[in-house]
Amino acid sequence: MTYLQRREVVFGLAGIALAQAILGRASMAFAADKIKPSASSALIVVDVQNCFLPGGSLAVKDGDQVIPVINRIAKSFENVVMTQDWHTPHHISFASSHEGKKPFETIKLAYGNQVLWPDHCVQGTEGAQIARDINIPQAELIIRKGFHNDVDSYSAFVEADKETQTGLASYLKERKIDTVFVTGLATDFCVAWTAIDARHAGLNVYVVDDACRGIDINGSVAKAWEDMTAAGVKKIQSSDIAG
Ligand SMILES: [Zn+2]
């Protein structure tokens, strides 16, 4: 092989590499095609309530930053469901309901381990109200959860006893909704449990990462993403949704 021929081979290979790079970018552009919510999609806005916002009794760091993102993407949805944590005044999930216990400790209850929280989202209080700046007039359902005094419910579908249904799965089924986009607070608790139970209900599930914020107790956000991914939940950004 002459020097010139060898050079051509090298250039040839470089050309293939270049073509692959271009094609690779093209296929990435395909992957980045926007997801368009349809009439069978619903946006689920989890627990964007005053208690979970900065200044609230169970504030999620930067929790208020999800609000403009959620308001923006909500415009792409015909169907929107909001959830509201809605506890009795001495709810079993409150540290104050257990003598000598402090918030963020874990105890064992009849249905399993329970993280104990500061008092939050008590029925009818200002703290339980959905954030004033959430602006989604077309929202069609607000589903309340955690209203049974002795059972918590992070999930918008099934309470922490893993038996008691909230009715949301049936509602979505009757409305012929097969895909949900989950947003809100907090990533590692109510968002994750809602998303995983949505998968169990047979739905296609996206979690919109930048429309959520986590509490993150001992790596709980990373663990929640592991669990969600294992359950078949897809992680997207708000920019992936067609405006
Ligand atoms: Zn709660």
Side-chain angles (χ1 to χ4, degrees), residues 47 52 58 85-87 91 93-94 117 120-121 145 152-154 190:
D47 295 6
F52 298 125
L58 181 41
D85 215 23
W86 199 250
H87 296 310
H91 193 257
S93 72
F94 297 170
W117 304 107
H120 65 279
C121 297
K145 61 188 181 61
D152 202 4
S153 190
Y154 297 150
C190 295

Side-chain angles (χ1 to χ4, degrees), residues 44-49 81-85 130 143 145 156:
I44 301 183
V45 181
V46 176
D47 295 6
V48 184
Q49 295 168 265
V81 173
M82 300 205 246
T83 77
Q84 222 174 358
D85 215 23
I130 288 174
I143 191 138
K145 61 188 181 61

Side-chain angles (χ1 to χ4, degrees), residues 28-90:
M28 273 171 64
F30 259 129
D33 270 354
K34 305 265 183 181
I35 304 162
K36 192 161 178 51
S38 71
S40 65
S41 306
L43 178 68
I44 301 183
V45 181
V46 176
D47 295 6
V48 184
Q49 295 168 265
N50 294 333
C51 278
F52 298 125
L53 300 182
S57 63
L58 181 41
V60 179
K61 188 172 183 291
D62 299 330
D64 54 336
Q65 292 183 16
V66 304
I67 296 173
V69 182
I70 292 171
N71 285 342
R72 177 164 48 78
I73 62 175
K75 294 189 170 67
S76 302
F77 287 84
E78 186 180 321
N79 301 300
V80 180
V81 173
M82 300 205 246
T83 77
Q84 222 174 358
D85 215 23
W86 199 250
H87 296 310
T88 51
H90 303 290

Side-chain angles (χ1 to χ4, degrees), residues 13-242:
L13 286 174
I16 290 167
L18 186 65
Q20 276 175 338
I22 291 167
L23 281 174
R25 208 162 289 166
S27 62
M28 273 171 64
F30 259 129
D33 270 354
K34 305 265 183 181
I35 304 162
K36 192 161 178 51
S38 71
S40 65
S41 306
L43 178 68
I44 301 183
V45 181
V46 176
D47 295 6
V48 184
Q49 295 168 265
N50 294 333
C51 278
F52 298 125
L53 300 182
S57 63
L58 181 41
V60 179
K61 188 172 183 291
D62 299 330
D64 54 336
Q65 292 183 16
V66 304
I67 296 173
V69 182
I70 292 171
N71 285 342
R72 177 164 48 78
I73 62 175
K75 294 189 170 67
S76 302
F77 287 84
E78 186 180 321
N79 301 300
V80 180
V81 173
M82 300 205 246
T83 77
Q84 222 174 358
D85 215 23
W86 199 250
H87 296 310
T88 51
H90 303 290
H91 193 257
I92 199 162
S93 72
F94 297 170
S96 64
S97 303
H98 305 269
E99 182 120 18
K101 295 291 179 189
K102 292 195 193 68
F104 308 106
E105 285 180 26
T106 300
I107 57 162
K108 197 153 184 61
L109 296 176
Y111 55 78
N113 290 335
Q114 172 72 50
V115 179
L116 295 176
W117 304 107
D119 291 18
H120 65 279
C121 297
V122 172
Q123 297 166 3
T125 62
E126 178 66 23
Q129 294 307 305
I130 288 174
R132 196 187 45 220
D133 293 334
I134 282 283
N135 182 19
I136 315 177
Q138 79 274 30
E140 60 214 26
L141 176 72
I142 296 173
I143 191 138
R144 290 172 167 169
K145 61 188 181 61
F147 52 78
H148 289 128
N149 190 64
D150 295 332
V151 188
D152 202 4
S153 190
Y154 297 150
S155 166
F157 288 88
V158 187
E159 298 189 11
D161 62 3
K162 307 223 186 306
E163 281 174 26
T164 310
Q165 299 281 329
T166 64
L168 182 57
S170 303
Y171 173 83
L172 294 173
K173 194 172 175 199
E174 289 186 16
R175 295 283 327 283
K176 303 194 178 354
I177 287 164
D178 58 16
T179 302
V180 293
F181 294 70
V182 186
T183 62
L185 306 171
T187 316
D188 36 349
F189 291 92
C190 295
V191 167
W193 288 50
T194 296
I196 290 169
D197 281 347
R199 288 292 300 146
H200 293 159
L203 300 160
N204 303 315
V205 184
Y206 297 99
V207 167
V208 188
D209 185 35
D210 58 328
C212 303
R213 289 294 185 282
I215 295 174
D216 210 11
I217 303 171
N218 303 323
S220 53
V221 168
K223 174 76 168 68
W225 275 116
E226 256 174 50
D227 294 345
M228 286 192 279
T229 304
V233 171
K234 291 172 213 124
K235 181 184 194 173
I236 59 169
Q237 304 300 322
S238 61
S239 57
D240 296 325
I241 299 172

